[in-house]
Amino acid sequence: MIKLALVEDEDDLRDAVQEYLSGHGLQCRAFADAAACRAALAEWQPDILVSDINMPGEDGLSLARGLRATGAIGIIMATAAGRPIDRVRGMEAGVDDYIVKPYELRELLARIRAVARRLGGAAPQAAQAMA
């Protein structure tokens, strides 16, 4: 089973995405900000992070850079920051994929599965089982 951390400061969107992804076989834990996510990472290691960029406190790019430096984790930015320079900054921060709001939940799920396949190990098997 793919373990996913979702960091989104918009309550309604966070709840909807978490419900959708959990309903499609992912173990999805949702956080309102980077600090809450970092606190959970002390005892729980997700396979993939899906994060907004613009949030109160630490932004998603800083969170991505920090996680990229500590190990192998898939990182997807899901954000309203859709200019080409925003996407370039995301890729330079080490993200694996980038999706612009508003997005279709099915597309997000497909992107998560694609990143899981690239990660190797158990995550691709779980991704294939969900197909």
Side-chain angles (χ1 to χ4, degrees):
M1 174 178 287
I2 298 170
K3 296 185 295 182
L4 183 126
L6 171 66
V7 185
E8 171 59 60
D9 61 327
E10 295 178 39
D11 295 340
D12 292 342
L13 180 58
R14 183 178 61 248
D15 293 345
V17 172
Q18 181 181 24
E19 182 179 333
Y20 181 84
L21 296 177
S22 295
H24 283 83
L26 280 70
Q27 180 188 7
C28 182
R29 292 180 63 181
F31 307 96
D33 57 34
C37 180
R38 283 189 183 277
L41 294 177
E43 57 192 54
W44 178 73
Q45 182 60 48
D47 302 306
I48 297 174
L49 167 76
V50 174
S51 179
D52 193 358
I53 290 179
N54 298 315
M55 300 180 291
E58 182 181 11
D59 70 26
L61 291 178
S62 174
L63 177 62
R65 276 188 220 95
L67 292 179
R68 177 62 63 222
T70 62
I73 183 171
I75 302 173
I76 300 171
M77 289 288 115
T79 180
R83 298 174 307 161
I85 190 64
D86 297 320
R87 289 184 286 236
V88 168
R89 277 198 229 129
M91 296 302 177
E92 289 174 347
V95 307
D96 297 291
D97 203 349
Y98 197 103
I99 188 170
V100 177
K101 294 177 185 175
Y103 53 81
E104 293 291 328
L105 292 174
R106 187 171 177 185
E107 180 182 1
L108 176 61
L109 179 59
R111 288 172 182 266
I112 291 167
R113 289 176 174 167
V115 169
R117 283 191 299 272
R118 289 191 301 264
L119 287 174
Q125 295 168 0
Q128 291 171 358
M130 289 186 284

